[in-house]
Amino acid sequence: MTRSSNTGDTPVPGGTPVPDVDVVCLGESMVTFLPNLPGRLADVPSFDRAIGGAESNVACTLARTGHSARWISRVGADGFGDHLLAAIADCGVDVSHVRRDPLRPTGIYFRTAGDRATDTHEVAYYRAGSAASAMTAADMDLPAIRSGRVLHLSGITAALSEDCLGLMRELTARRPGRPLLSFDVNYRPGLWRDRARAGALLELARGADLVFVGDDEARDAWGLYDARAISEALPEPDVLVVKQGKAGTTVFQRTTATGERRDDAAGTATFVPSLNVDLVAATGAGDAFAAGFLSATLRGLPVRTRIRHGHLWAAAALTVPGDLATPPARAHADRLADLDDAAWGRLHLGPGWTEAEASGRRAGEEVRTR
């Protein structure tokens, strides 16, 4: 069967009308308050202000490496909304289609400095009734949302409200001429109190061309316990990216370079091990991986190289304390992605590794780059 595809080993083709940006990212971004000291939220005396949002993180990361990116959302007509727009625009992202809501606030949240995976990690969200939760298919600019070569969405948006879920269903409906539809499942248990409702994420993923999902997310949300089971449950996407934590990432590709649908519904499976890094904080690593993979997809790079770019950009996020890291320069990332398997396995990255090129150091087969 022949099927239109934007995910082969060739550059992503244009749609109709001609895309005016590489990637459009739609979703809520919030002002984030990060503690100056470790400890419980009850004990931390002061916080630094930052921004946080899966989709805006992807847009900012792509823009910082030369891709044209547009972020679309709703924010309040308040100072926090002003800050979000300014901070995201400062990364080089087009925010001209973000709508201001005079009746609803911009979401904010506080979190502790610890890793999300530990029992001591705390997050306090103040997003109920936020401006972004009022997004609907009827009042958003759908042509602008579909104006990129790629449209990137995440499951977080679907959890914000029934209206947001309706918008996501509209955007993931398979229609001729739509952009490549990228969907990061981003399952957050706190947003899906009724786990049965998380089945909506599986529905949305089936409408996408490119899906990112962690094996832990698939286990918790859908009861699927390995990459092959996830692939069998999601035969529709042309490319399925299953992130397997510290082990690595498996990508199932169901199309050929010419866009032909493969006879085997599972497609070809490509596994690339994760990098060894000196972990500072895990927050934002999934968004960085998605941005790296999308960047390599836009450039028409082979699947194995796309995965390596995802791992490299994730390593940039893992080795800094905040949600949003500066990715490696394109030439630097290309050099590391081209390492042979043995050298890739020996690569060990620590804080500051993305600046290695600027200082004249090379991160090749060295055991550690700092």
Side-chain angles (χ1 to χ4, degrees), residues 196-210:
R197 291 185 64 243
L201 294 174
L202 192 61
E203 169 198 341
L204 296 173
R206 285 172 172 159
D209 303 307
L210 165 59

Side-chain angles (χ1 to χ4, degrees), residues 21-25 58 62 68-70 148-152 294 298:
V21 293
D22 289 333
V23 180
V24 174
C25 300
V58 171
L62 286 165
S68 55
R70 174 175 294 144
R149 296 167 66 191
V150 175
L151 171 58
H152 180 70
L294 285 172
L298 285 160

Side-chain angles (χ1 to χ4, degrees), residues 1 22 37 47 101 105 163 170 177 242 246 249 316:
M1 179 176 71
D22 289 333
L37 298 170
F47 297 80
D101 190 326
D163 283 338
E170 166 66 26
V242 180
K246 293 180 180 179
T249 297

Side-chain angles (χ1 to χ4, degrees), residues 11-287:
V12 177
T16 304
V18 176
D20 62 355
V21 293
D22 289 333
V23 180
V24 174
C25 300
L26 176 138
E28 181 173 38
S29 189
M30 295 183 289
V31 173
T32 310
F33 290 92
L34 308 174
N36 288 322
L37 298 170
R40 301 185 310 150
L41 287 179
D43 302 326
V44 174
S46 59
F47 297 80
D48 290 325
R49 184 179 64 176
I51 64 172
E55 301 84 3
S56 60
N57 284 349
V58 171
C60 289
T61 305
L62 286 165
R64 284 174 165 176
T65 53
H67 294 286
S68 55
R70 174 175 294 144
W71 174 62
I72 297 180
S73 188
R74 292 173 67 103
V75 299
D78 50 31
F80 289 139
D82 294 341
H83 174 64
L84 279 177
L85 290 176
I88 294 170
D90 281 348
C91 292
V93 176
D94 173 17
V95 297
S96 62
H97 293 273
V98 176
R99 297 192 171 179
R100 307 300 297 267
D101 190 326
L103 302 178
R104 299 175 182 85
T106 303
I108 64 173
Y109 74 96
F110 297 77
R111 69 172 175 85
T112 51
D115 190 334
R116 277 182 178 160
T118 68
D119 292 337
T120 60
H121 183 71
E122 296 175 78
V123 181
Y125 288 105
Y126 299 91
R127 75 195 313 175
S130 69
S133 70
M135 292 188 294
T136 71
D139 65 9
M140 297 299 288
D141 187 345
L142 296 183
I145 293 171
R146 295 174 172 135
S147 62
R149 296 167 66 191
V150 175
L151 171 58
H152 180 70
L153 309 170
S154 95
I156 294 173
T157 304
L160 298 180
S161 67
E162 287 301 315
D163 283 338
C164 284
L165 177 57
L167 172 61
M168 294 289 284
R169 284 174 169 150
E170 166 66 26
L171 295 175
T172 55
R174 294 190 180 276
R175 292 189 173 89
R178 76 174 190 180
L180 186 153
L181 202 296
S182 168
F183 180 71
D184 191 338
V185 171
N186 251 326
Y187 174 64
R188 298 286 185 267
L191 293 176
W192 300 92
R193 298 295 185 185
D194 179 2
R195 201 179 86 167
R197 291 185 64 243
L201 294 174
L202 192 61
E203 169 198 341
L204 296 173
R206 285 172 172 159
D209 303 307
L210 165 59
V211 172
F212 299 94
V213 63
D215 58 358
D216 56 341
E217 296 177 301
R219 180 192 65 236
D220 295 342
W222 306 326
L224 302 173
Y225 285 86
D226 58 57
R228 184 60 62 177
I230 298 168
S231 176
E232 290 172 355
L234 280 169
E236 297 88 353
D238 294 332
V239 175
L240 172 64
V241 181
V242 180
K243 297 174 290 182
Q244 297 159 281
K246 293 180 180 179
T249 297
T250 299
V251 169
F252 298 90
Q253 187 171 24
R254 280 70 176 262
T255 57
T256 66
T258 59
E260 297 283 334
R261 189 76 172 175
R262 298 181 190 275
D263 292 335
D264 179 5
T268 60
T270 304
F271 174 79
V272 174
S274 296
L275 287 163
N276 295 312
V277 301
D278 293 332
L279 177 65
V280 174
T283 308
D287 304 332

